[in-house]
Amino acid sequence: MNRVVLMLGLLALFPVSSASQNLTKVTVDGNERSSVFVPIAKYLQRGDAECLAAWFADNLQVDVMGSVSNCSRNQARQIIRNFFVNYTPRFFEIVYTSGTYPMEYAVGNLDSGGNMFTVTILVKTNDSGNYIEQLKIEKQ
């Protein structure tokens, strides 16, 4: 009972973080499973740096067209926000995923209407959720 009350209290305090960890079911090779990359891909396609940042680890590596930064979640959010201002996404698609628990990665293509980018996302899972540890954006 105390755990339930504690969990409900934490969810009330941190609604953005807890909501960001809802995983979407996808079918892969005929098996339904959760994919952390479905909501992440949605935020990349929308160019939504705020929602995407909810998935960032406290400290992560961000590489935007060769400019590599080891930064905090807030710094990474600003870097990605600036990228989306300069290159407004029109379409994003995950083309490859791999890895096993607790580390998975995905590679996708981002179309900003005249510029194409390859996006690589490394996600680590721990007891408190799924977090982007590395985000790399390369111009094709």
Side-chain angles (χ1 to χ4, degrees):
M1 179 70 169
N2 288 339
R3 285 184 184 176
V4 172
V5 172
L6 176 61
M7 289 301 293
L8 290 174
L10 288 174
L11 289 174
L13 289 174
F14 303 106
V16 173
S17 296
S18 61
S20 70
Q21 297 298 316
N22 291 332
L23 302 183
T24 304
K25 299 287 185 182
V26 294
T27 302
V28 178
D29 299 326
N31 298 315
E32 188 177 89
R33 61 179 127 164
S34 297
S35 175
V36 67
F37 298 110
V38 172
I40 291 171
K42 177 178 69 174
Y43 300 136
L44 280 164
Q45 180 161 324
R46 289 191 334 208
D48 190 335
E50 297 303 315
C51 288
L52 184 62
W55 289 87
F56 291 167
D58 289 337
N59 295 291
L60 66 152
Q61 183 181 71
V62 178
D63 179 346
V64 177
M65 296 185 290
S67 179
V68 181
S69 300
N70 291 311
C71 52
S72 70
R73 176 183 291 131
N74 289 332
Q75 291 168 323
R77 176 185 4 224
Q78 188 60 42
I79 291 168
I80 297 304
R81 182 184 300 132
N82 290 340
F83 173 80
F84 288 152
V85 165
N86 293 317
Y87 302 98
T88 303
R90 291 192 180 177
F91 182 75
F92 179 76
E93 176 183 36
I94 299 282
V95 294
Y96 182 77
T97 61
S98 188
T100 57
Y101 177 87
M103 299 292 280
E104 294 181 81
Y105 72 94
V107 178
N109 293 320
L110 176 70
D111 179 355
S112 70
N115 292 292
M116 290 294 294
F117 299 92
T118 300
V119 179
T120 306
I121 309 154
L122 177 68
V123 172
K124 183 175 182 181
T125 301
N126 61 34
D127 292 339
S128 60
N130 303 290
Y131 298 98
I132 297 173
E133 295 277 328
Q134 292 180 336
L135 181 62
K136 183 175 185 178
I137 302 173
E138 302 171 282
K139 197 166 186 178
Q140 293 182 358

